[in-house]
Amino acid sequence: MRLAPPVPILDVIRCYASSCSYIPELAVIAPQQFGIAISLPDGGTVTAGDAAKPLSIQSISKVFSLACVLGRIGDQIWTRVGREPSGSRFDSIQLLEIEHGRPRNPFINAGAIVVTDELLAGRAPREALAEILGLVRTLAEDDDIHISESVAQSETMTGHRNRALAHYLKSYNNLLNNPEHVLGTYFHQCAIEMSCIQLAKAGRAIAGLPDASAIISLPKARRLNALMMLCGQYDGSGEFAFRVGLPAKSGVGGGLLVIVPGRASIGIWSPGLNVFGNSHMGTHAAERLAHAMNWAVFG
Ligand code: GLN
């Protein structure tokens, strides 16, 4: 009699199968690559593997666009977006229909599209993009960070679900601007490229580390951490909190920004994704590191 393989093995096989499949430019990236950078309170950075290689930050950009919007209009954004975990895929349209066009949180795609729409208010897409890119560059103290036009174009060609979400939001009057302008801006912010080292550096302000940029105030950082903990891994957020116990934000490029409040900011990259669309090896690495260092927000 043949025994069914235990679930973790199936999980591993499935997860190693591919990098992000629906953005052609990302689908060709070898899934087993790995890099990590840990930025510490004394300003030092510990790195391993492909820590200096640029990765497509994708949904990690949602943390930075939200930070921009919170700086611009503060709590008003919560009239348009909720802040509860979704328990659904990051691109779920079903949830948006059930909730009459008010996205559950700013980290699922629909919520992030609304945040980007808010950033566009009265401005050209290039100005809104410049604000997000400017924030990231300031936080990482690195003006070399750029947007990959080829990744942005690749998603523009295949981003049909996001297009559906944007038009759905528009039908509920929860999109103020032209959907194509909002999507163009959103696809470009997702196509920002950063290395693990730059990501870890950019996360210092969210981790409240000494001498980090004061652009993200402590109360704002607290809220970003709360949202990252509850919504940062989509329908894998509960599992991630259980296994890792730290606020984090993932992206389908295989990047992961993990925050250890007051202690460290961690950038991880491994493009092979798990069933939730989060980095498979990145999640394992975060779990092992958190346990080894006894890093947790729950004491
Ligand atoms: N650009 C991607 C999308 O909108 C980001 C999704 C993600 O990283 N989870 O589909």
Side-chain angles (χ1 to χ4, degrees), residues 108-185:
I108 52 173
N109 286 10
I113 290 170
V114 167
V115 167
T116 300
D117 180 54
E118 189 62 58
L119 262 188
L120 268 173
R123 299 196 290 179
R126 110 180 91 75
E127 291 174 72
L129 265 181
E131 184 174 342
I132 303 173
L133 192 59
L135 174 70
V136 166
R137 285 175 171 173
T138 305
L139 292 174
E141 293 178 357
D142 196 334
D143 284 343
D144 286 342
I145 296 171
H146 66 278
I147 293 172
S148 162
E149 192 55 40
S150 57
V151 172
Q153 287 311 323
S154 186
E155 189 168 11
T156 303
M157 302 295 288
T158 58
H160 304 296
R161 284 188 192 209
N162 285 324
R163 217 160 259 126
L165 289 169
H167 283 273
Y168 211 74
L169 287 163
K170 189 79 178 167
S171 79
Y172 277 104
N173 292 323
N174 199 5
L175 206 72
L176 310 174
N177 299 281
N178 175 329
E180 282 307 315
H181 289 177
V182 182
L183 288 165
T185 312

Coordinates of all heavy atoms in Angstrom, one line a residue, residues 108-185:
I108 N -4.9 44.2 0.3 CA -5.4 43.4 -0.8 C -5.4 44.3 -2.0 O -5.3 45.5 -1.8 CB -6.8 42.8 -0.5 CG1 -7.8 43.9 -0.1 CG2 -6.7 41.7 0.5 CD1 -9.2 43.4 0.0
N109 N -5.4 43.7 -3.2 CA -5.2 44.6 -4.4 C -6.3 45.7 -4.5 O -5.9 46.9 -4.8 CB -5.3 43.7 -5.6 CG -4.0 42.9 -5.8 OD1 -3.2 42.9 -4.9 ND2 -3.8 42.3 -7.0
A110 N -7.5 45.3 -4.2 CA -8.6 46.4 -4.3 C -8.3 47.5 -3.4 O -8.5 48.7 -3.8 CB -10.0 45.7 -4.0
G111 N -7.9 47.2 -2.2 CA -7.6 48.3 -1.2 C -6.4 49.1 -1.6 O -6.4 50.3 -1.5
A112 N -5.4 48.5 -2.1 CA -4.2 49.2 -2.6 C -4.5 50.1 -3.8 O -4.0 51.2 -3.9 CB -3.1 48.2 -2.9
I113 N -5.4 49.6 -4.6 CA -5.8 50.4 -5.8 C -6.5 51.7 -5.3 O -6.3 52.8 -5.9 CB -6.7 49.6 -6.8 CG1 -5.8 48.5 -7.5 CG2 -7.4 50.4 -7.8 CD1 -6.5 47.5 -8.3
V114 N -7.4 51.6 -4.3 CA -8.0 52.8 -3.7 C -7.0 53.7 -3.1 O -7.1 54.9 -3.3 CB -9.1 52.3 -2.7 CG1 -9.6 53.5 -1.8 CG2 -10.3 51.7 -3.4
V115 N -6.0 53.2 -2.4 CA -5.0 54.0 -1.8 C -4.2 54.8 -2.9 O -4.0 56.0 -2.8 CB -4.0 53.1 -1.0 CG1 -2.7 53.9 -0.6 CG2 -4.7 52.6 0.3
T116 N -3.9 54.1 -4.0 CA -3.2 54.7 -5.1 C -4.1 55.8 -5.7 O -3.6 56.9 -6.1 CB -2.8 53.7 -6.1 OG1 -1.9 52.8 -5.5 CG2 -2.0 54.3 -7.3
D117 N -5.4 55.5 -5.8 CA -6.3 56.5 -6.4 C -6.3 57.7 -5.5 O -6.3 58.9 -6.0 CB -7.7 55.8 -6.4 CG -8.8 56.7 -6.9 OD1 -8.7 57.2 -8.0 OD2 -9.8 57.0 -6.2
E118 N -6.3 57.6 -4.2 CA -6.2 58.7 -3.3 C -5.0 59.5 -3.5 O -5.0 60.7 -3.5 CB -6.3 58.2 -1.9 CG -6.5 59.2 -0.8 CD -7.8 60.0 -1.0 OE1 -8.9 59.4 -1.0 OE2 -7.8 61.2 -1.1
L119 N -3.9 58.8 -3.7 CA -2.6 59.5 -4.0 C -2.6 60.3 -5.2 O -1.8 61.3 -5.4 CB -1.5 58.5 -4.1 CG -0.6 58.2 -2.8 CD1 0.5 57.3 -3.2 CD2 -0.1 59.5 -2.2
L120 N -3.4 59.9 -6.2 CA -3.5 60.6 -7.5 C -4.3 61.8 -7.4 O -4.2 62.7 -8.3 CB -4.1 59.6 -8.5 CG -3.2 58.7 -9.3 CD1 -4.0 57.8 -10.1 CD2 -2.3 59.6 -10.2
A121 N -5.1 62.0 -6.4 CA -6.1 63.1 -6.4 C -5.5 64.4 -6.8 O -4.6 64.9 -6.2 CB -6.7 63.2 -4.9
G122 N -6.0 64.9 -8.0 CA -5.6 66.2 -8.5 C -4.2 66.2 -9.0 O -3.7 67.3 -9.3
R123 N -3.6 65.1 -9.3 CA -2.2 65.1 -9.7 C -2.1 64.1 -10.9 O -2.9 63.2 -11.1 CB -1.3 64.6 -8.6 CG -1.3 65.4 -7.4 CD -0.1 65.2 -6.6 NE -0.2 63.8 -5.9 CZ 0.8 63.4 -5.1 NH1 1.9 64.1 -4.9 NH2 0.7 62.2 -4.6
A124 N -1.0 64.3 -11.6 CA -0.7 63.4 -12.7 C -0.1 62.1 -12.1 O 0.6 62.2 -11.1 CB 0.3 64.0 -13.7
P125 N -0.3 60.9 -12.8 CA 0.3 59.7 -12.3 C 1.8 59.8 -12.0 O 2.3 59.3 -11.0 CB 0.1 58.7 -13.4 CG -1.2 59.2 -14.1 CD -1.1 60.7 -14.0
R126 N 2.5 60.6 -12.8 CA 4.0 60.6 -12.6 C 4.3 61.3 -11.3 O 5.3 61.0 -10.6 CB 4.6 61.2 -13.8 CG 5.2 62.6 -13.7 CD 5.8 63.0 -15.1 NE 4.8 63.7 -15.9 CZ 4.4 64.9 -15.7 NH1 4.9 65.6 -14.6 NH2 3.5 65.5 -16.4
E127 N 3.4 62.3 -10.8 CA 3.7 63.0 -9.6 C 3.4 62.0 -8.4 O 4.2 62.0 -7.4 CB 2.8 64.2 -9.4 CG 3.1 65.3 -10.4 CD 2.1 66.4 -10.3 OE1 2.1 67.2 -9.3 OE2 1.3 66.5 -11.3
A128 N 2.3 61.3 -8.5 CA 2.0 60.3 -7.4 C 3.1 59.3 -7.3 O 3.6 58.9 -6.2 CB 0.7 59.6 -7.7
L129 N 3.6 58.8 -8.4 CA 4.7 57.8 -8.4 C 5.9 58.4 -7.9 O 6.6 57.7 -7.1 CB 5.0 57.4 -9.9 CG 4.3 56.1 -10.4 CD1 4.7 55.9 -11.8 CD2 4.6 54.9 -9.5
A130 N 6.2 59.6 -8.2 CA 7.4 60.3 -7.7 C 7.4 60.3 -6.2 O 8.4 60.2 -5.5 CB 7.6 61.6 -8.3
E131 N 6.2 60.5 -5.6 CA 6.1 60.6 -4.2 C 6.4 59.2 -3.5 O 7.1 59.2 -2.5 CB 4.6 61.0 -3.7 CG 4.6 61.2 -2.2 CD 3.2 61.8 -1.7 OE1 2.5 62.4 -2.6 OE2 2.9 61.6 -0.6
I132 N 5.9 58.2 -4.1 CA 6.1 56.8 -3.5 C 7.6 56.5 -3.7 O 8.3 56.1 -2.7 CB 5.3 55.7 -4.2 CG1 3.8 56.0 -4.1 CG2 5.6 54.4 -3.6 CD1 2.9 55.1 -4.9
L133 N 8.1 56.7 -4.9 CA 9.6 56.4 -5.1 C 10.4 57.3 -4.2 O 11.4 56.8 -3.7 CB 9.9 56.6 -6.6 CG 11.2 56.1 -7.1 CD1 11.3 54.6 -6.9 CD2 11.4 56.4 -8.6
G134 N 10.0 58.5 -4.1 CA 10.8 59.5 -3.2 C 10.8 59.0 -1.8 O 11.9 59.0 -1.1
L135 N 9.7 58.5 -1.3 CA 9.7 58.0 0.1 C 10.6 56.8 0.3 O 11.4 56.7 1.2 CB 8.2 57.6 0.5 CG 8.1 56.9 1.8 CD1 8.3 57.9 3.0 CD2 6.7 56.2 2.0
V136 N 10.5 55.9 -0.7 CA 11.3 54.7 -0.6 C 12.8 55.0 -0.7 O 13.6 54.5 0.1 CB 10.9 53.7 -1.8 CG1 11.9 52.6 -1.9 CG2 9.6 53.1 -1.5
R137 N 13.2 55.9 -1.5 CA 14.6 56.3 -1.7 C 15.1 57.0 -0.4 O 16.2 56.8 0.1 CB 14.7 57.3 -2.8 CG 14.7 56.6 -4.2 CD 14.7 57.6 -5.3 NE 14.9 57.0 -6.6 CZ 14.8 57.6 -7.8 NH1 14.6 58.9 -7.8 NH2 15.0 57.0 -8.9
T138 N 14.2 57.8 0.2 CA 14.6 58.5 1.4 C 14.8 57.5 2.5 O 15.8 57.6 3.3 CB 13.5 59.6 1.8 OG1 13.3 60.4 0.7 CG2 13.9 60.4 3.0
L139 N 13.8 56.6 2.7 CA 13.9 55.6 3.8 C 15.1 54.7 3.6 O 15.8 54.4 4.6 CB 12.6 54.7 3.8 CG 11.3 55.4 4.2 CD1 10.2 54.5 4.0 CD2 11.4 55.9 5.6
A140 N 15.4 54.3 2.4 CA 16.6 53.5 2.1 C 17.9 54.2 2.0 O 18.9 53.6 1.9 CB 16.3 52.6 0.9
E141 N 17.7 55.6 2.0 CA 18.9 56.4 1.7 C 19.7 56.0 0.5 O 20.9 55.8 0.5 CB 19.8 56.4 3.0 CG 19.2 57.1 4.2 CD 20.1 57.0 5.4 OE1 21.2 56.4 5.3 OE2 19.7 57.5 6.4
D142 N 18.9 55.8 -0.6 CA 19.5 55.3 -1.8 C 18.7 55.8 -3.0 O 17.6 55.3 -3.3 CB 19.5 53.8 -1.8 CG 20.5 53.2 -2.8 OD1 20.8 53.9 -3.8 OD2 21.0 52.1 -2.6
D143 N 19.3 56.8 -3.7 CA 18.6 57.3 -4.9 C 18.7 56.4 -6.1 O 18.2 56.8 -7.2 CB 19.2 58.7 -5.2 CG 18.6 59.8 -4.2 OD1 17.6 59.4 -3.6 OD2 19.2 60.9 -4.1
D144 N 19.4 55.3 -6.0 CA 19.5 54.4 -7.2 C 18.3 53.6 -7.4 O 18.1 52.9 -8.4 CB 20.7 53.5 -7.0 CG 22.0 54.3 -7.3 OD1 22.0 55.3 -7.9 OD2 23.1 53.8 -6.8
I145 N 17.4 53.5 -6.4 CA 16.2 52.7 -6.5 C 15.4 53.2 -7.6 O 15.1 54.4 -7.8 CB 15.4 52.7 -5.2 CG1 16.3 52.1 -4.0 CG2 14.1 52.0 -5.3 CD1 15.7 52.2 -2.7
H146 N 14.9 52.3 -8.5 CA 14.2 52.7 -9.7 C 13.0 51.8 -10.0 O 12.8 50.8 -9.3 CB 15.1 52.7 -10.9 CG 15.6 51.3 -11.2 ND1 16.6 50.7 -10.6 CD2 15.1 50.4 -12.1 CE1 16.8 49.5 -11.0 NE2 15.9 49.3 -12.0
I147 N 12.2 52.2 -11.0 CA 11.1 51.3 -11.4 C 11.4 50.6 -12.6 O 12.0 51.1 -13.6 CB 9.9 52.3 -11.7 CG1 9.4 52.9 -10.3 CG2 8.7 51.5 -12.3 CD1 8.3 54.0 -10.5
S148 N 11.1 49.3 -12.7 CA 11.4 48.5 -13.9 C 10.2 48.7 -14.9 O 9.1 48.2 -14.6 CB 11.5 47.0 -13.5 OG 11.4 46.3 -14.7
E149 N 10.5 49.4 -16.0 CA 9.5 49.7 -16.9 C 9.0 48.3 -17.6 O 7.8 48.2 -17.9 CB 10.0 50.6 -18.0 CG 9.0 51.2 -18.9 CD 7.8 51.9 -18.2 OE1 8.1 52.6 -17.2 OE2 6.7 51.8 -18.7
S150 N 9.9 47.4 -17.7 CA 9.5 46.1 -18.4 C 8.6 45.3 -17.5 O 7.6 44.7 -18.0 CB 10.7 45.3 -18.8 OG 11.5 45.0 -17.7
V151 N 8.8 45.3 -16.2 CA 7.9 44.6 -15.3 C 6.5 45.4 -15.3 O 5.5 44.7 -15.3 CB 8.5 44.5 -13.9 CG1 7.4 44.0 -12.9 CG2 9.7 43.6 -13.9
A152 N 6.5 46.7 -15.2 CA 5.3 47.4 -15.2 C 4.5 47.2 -16.5 O 3.3 46.9 -16.5 CB 5.6 48.9 -15.1
Q153 N 5.2 47.1 -17.7 CA 4.5 46.9 -18.9 C 4.0 45.4 -19.0 O 2.9 45.2 -19.5 CB 5.5 47.1 -20.1 CG 5.8 48.5 -20.4 CD 4.5 49.4 -20.5 OE1 3.5 49.0 -21.0 NE2 4.6 50.6 -20.0
S154 N 4.8 44.5 -18.4 CA 4.4 43.1 -18.4 C 3.0 43.0 -17.6 O 2.1 42.3 -18.1 CB 5.5 42.3 -17.7 OG 5.2 41.0 -17.8
E155 N 2.9 43.6 -16.5 CA 1.7 43.5 -15.7 C 0.6 44.3 -16.4 O -0.6 43.9 -16.3 CB 1.9 44.0 -14.3 CG 0.6 43.7 -13.5 CD 0.8 43.8 -12.0 OE1 1.8 44.4 -11.5 OE2 -0.2 43.4 -11.3
T156 N 0.9 45.4 -17.1 CA -0.1 46.1 -17.8 C -0.8 45.2 -18.9 O -2.0 45.3 -19.1 CB 0.5 47.4 -18.5 OG1 1.2 48.1 -17.5 CG2 -0.5 48.2 -19.2
M157 N 0.0 44.4 -19.5 CA -0.5 43.5 -20.5 C -1.4 42.4 -20.0 O -2.3 41.9 -20.6 CB 0.6 42.8 -21.3 CG 1.6 43.7 -21.9 SD 0.9 44.7 -23.2 CE 0.7 43.4 -24.5
T158 N -1.1 41.9 -18.7 CA -1.8 40.7 -18.2 C -2.6 41.0 -17.0 O -3.2 40.1 -16.4 CB -0.8 39.6 -17.9 OG1 0.1 40.1 -16.9 CG2 0.0 39.2 -19.1
G159 N -2.7 42.3 -16.5 CA -3.4 42.6 -15.2 C -4.9 42.7 -15.3 O -5.5 43.7 -14.9
H160 N -5.5 41.6 -15.9 CA -6.9 41.7 -16.2 C -7.7 41.7 -14.9 O -8.8 42.4 -14.8 CB -7.4 40.6 -17.1 CG -6.6 40.6 -18.3 ND1 -6.7 41.6 -19.3 CD2 -5.7 39.7 -18.9 CE1 -5.9 41.3 -20.3 NE2 -5.3 40.2 -20.0
R161 N -7.3 41.0 -13.9 CA -8.0 41.0 -12.6 C -8.0 42.3 -11.9 O -9.0 42.8 -11.4 CB -7.4 39.9 -11.7 CG -7.8 38.6 -12.1 CD -7.4 37.6 -11.0 NE -7.6 36.3 -11.6 CZ -7.8 35.2 -10.9 NH1 -8.0 35.3 -9.6 NH2 -8.0 34.0 -11.5
N162 N -6.8 42.9 -11.9 CA -6.7 44.3 -11.3 C -7.6 45.3 -12.1 O -8.2 46.2 -11.5 CB -5.3 44.7 -11.3 CG -4.5 44.0 -10.2 OD1 -5.1 43.7 -9.2 ND2 -3.3 43.7 -10.5
R163 N -7.7 45.1 -13.4 CA -8.5 46.0 -14.2 C -10.0 45.8 -13.8 O -10.7 46.7 -13.6 CB -8.3 45.6 -15.7 CG -8.3 46.8 -16.6 CD -7.7 46.5 -17.9 NE -6.3 47.1 -18.0 CZ -5.2 46.4 -18.2 NH1 -5.3 45.1 -18.6 NH2 -4.1 47.0 -18.3
A164 N -10.4 44.5 -13.6 CA -11.7 44.2 -13.2 C -12.0 44.8 -11.8 O -13.1 45.5 -11.6 CB -11.9 42.7 -13.1
L165 N -11.0 44.7 -10.9 CA -11.2 45.3 -9.6 C -11.4 46.8 -9.7 O -12.3 47.4 -9.0 CB -10.0 45.0 -8.7 CG -9.9 43.5 -8.2 CD1 -8.5 43.3 -7.6 CD2 -11.0 43.1 -7.3
A166 N -10.6 47.4 -10.5 CA -10.6 48.9 -10.6 C -12.0 49.4 -11.1 O -12.6 50.3 -10.6 CB -9.5 49.4 -11.5
H167 N -12.4 48.7 -12.2 CA -13.7 49.1 -12.7 C -14.9 48.8 -11.8 O -15.9 49.5 -11.7 CB -13.9 48.4 -14.1 CG -13.1 49.0 -15.2 ND1 -13.6 50.1 -15.9 CD2 -11.9 48.8 -15.6 CE1 -12.6 50.5 -16.7 NE2 -11.6 49.7 -16.6
Y168 N -14.7 47.7 -11.0 CA -15.7 47.4 -10.0 C -15.8 48.5 -9.0 O -16.9 48.9 -8.6 CB -15.4 46.0 -9.4 CG -16.6 45.3 -9.0 CD1 -17.5 44.7 -10.0 CD2 -17.0 45.2 -7.7 CE1 -18.6 44.0 -9.6 CE2 -18.2 44.6 -7.3 CZ -19.0 44.0 -8.3 OH -20.1 43.4 -7.9
L169 N -14.6 48.9 -8.5 CA -14.6 50.0 -7.5 C -15.2 51.3 -8.1 O -16.0 52.0 -7.4 CB -13.1 50.3 -7.2 CG -12.4 49.3 -6.3 CD1 -10.9 49.5 -6.4 CD2 -12.9 49.4 -4.9
K170 N -14.9 51.5 -9.4 CA -15.5 52.7 -10.0 C -17.0 52.6 -10.0 O -17.7 53.6 -9.8 CB -15.0 52.8 -11.5 CG -15.3 54.1 -12.2 CD -14.3 55.2 -11.8 CE -14.6 56.5 -12.5 NZ -13.9 57.6 -11.9
S171 N -17.6 51.4 -10.3 CA -19.0 51.3 -10.3 C -19.6 51.6 -9.0 O -20.8 51.9 -8.9 CB -19.4 49.9 -10.8 OG -19.3 49.0 -9.8
Y172 N -18.9 51.4 -7.9 CA -19.4 51.8 -6.5 C -18.9 53.2 -6.1 O -19.0 53.5 -4.9 CB -18.8 50.7 -5.5 CG -19.6 49.5 -5.5 CD1 -19.2 48.3 -6.1 CD2 -20.9 49.4 -4.9 CE1 -19.9 47.2 -6.1 CE2 -21.6 48.3 -4.8 CZ -21.1 47.1 -5.4 OH -21.9 46.0 -5.4
N173 N -18.5 54.0 -7.1 CA -18.0 55.3 -6.8 C -16.9 55.3 -5.7 O -16.7 56.3 -5.0 CB -19.1 56.2 -6.3 CG -20.1 56.5 -7.4 OD1 -19.8 56.6 -8.5 ND2 -21.4 56.5 -7.0
N174 N -16.1 54.3 -5.7 CA -14.9 54.3 -4.8 C -13.6 54.4 -5.5 O -12.6 53.9 -5.1 CB -15.0 53.0 -3.9 CG -14.1 53.2 -2.6 OD1 -13.5 54.3 -2.4 ND2 -13.9 52.2 -1.8
L175 N -13.7 54.9 -6.7 CA -12.5 55.3 -7.5 C -12.8 56.6 -8.1 O -13.7 56.8 -8.8 CB -12.3 54.2 -8.6 CG -10.8 54.1 -9.0 CD1 -10.0 53.4 -8.0 CD2 -10.7 53.3 -10.3
L176 N -11.9 57.6 -7.7 CA -12.2 59.0 -8.2 C -11.6 59.3 -9.5 O -12.2 60.0 -10.3 CB -11.6 60.0 -7.1 CG -11.9 59.7 -5.7 CD1 -11.1 60.6 -4.8 CD2 -13.4 59.8 -5.5
N177 N -10.5 58.6 -9.9 CA -9.8 58.9 -11.1 C -10.1 57.9 -12.2 O -10.7 56.8 -12.0 CB -8.3 58.9 -10.9 CG -7.9 60.0 -9.9 OD1 -7.9 61.2 -10.2 ND2 -7.7 59.6 -8.6
N178 N -9.6 58.2 -13.4 CA -9.8 57.3 -14.5 C -9.1 55.9 -14.2 O -7.9 55.9 -13.8 CB -9.0 57.9 -15.7 CG -9.0 57.1 -16.9 OD1 -8.9 55.8 -16.8 ND2 -9.0 57.7 -18.1
P179 N -9.8 54.8 -14.3 CA -9.2 53.5 -13.8 C -7.9 53.2 -14.5 O -7.0 52.7 -13.9 CB -10.3 52.5 -14.3 CG -11.6 53.2 -14.3 CD -11.2 54.6 -14.7
E180 N -7.7 53.6 -15.8 CA -6.5 53.3 -16.4 C -5.3 54.1 -15.8 O -4.2 53.6 -15.7 CB -6.6 53.5 -17.9 CG -7.3 52.4 -18.7 CD -6.7 51.0 -18.4 OE1 -5.5 50.8 -18.5 OE2 -7.5 50.1 -18.2
H181 N -5.6 55.3 -15.4 CA -4.5 56.1 -14.8 C -4.1 55.5 -13.4 O -3.0 55.4 -13.1 CB -5.0 57.6 -14.5 CG -5.1 58.3 -15.8 ND1 -5.6 59.6 -15.9 CD2 -4.8 58.0 -17.1 CE1 -5.5 60.0 -17.1 NE2 -5.1 59.1 -17.9
V182 N -5.2 55.1 -12.7 CA -4.9 54.5 -11.4 C -4.1 53.2 -11.5 O -3.1 53.0 -10.9 CB -6.2 54.2 -10.6 CG1 -5.9 53.6 -9.2 CG2 -7.1 55.4 -10.5
L183 N -4.5 52.4 -12.5 CA -3.8 51.1 -12.7 C -2.4 51.3 -13.2 O -1.5 50.6 -12.8 CB -4.6 50.2 -13.7 CG -5.9 49.7 -13.2 CD1 -6.8 49.2 -14.3 CD2 -5.7 48.5 -12.2
G184 N -2.2 52.3 -14.1 CA -0.9 52.6 -14.6 C 0.0 52.9 -13.4 O 1.2 52.5 -13.3
T185 N -0.5 53.7 -12.5 CA 0.3 54.2 -11.4 C 0.6 52.9 -10.5 O 1.7 52.7 -10.0 CB -0.4 55.2 -10.6 OG1 -0.9 56.2 -11.5 CG2 0.5 55.9 -9.5

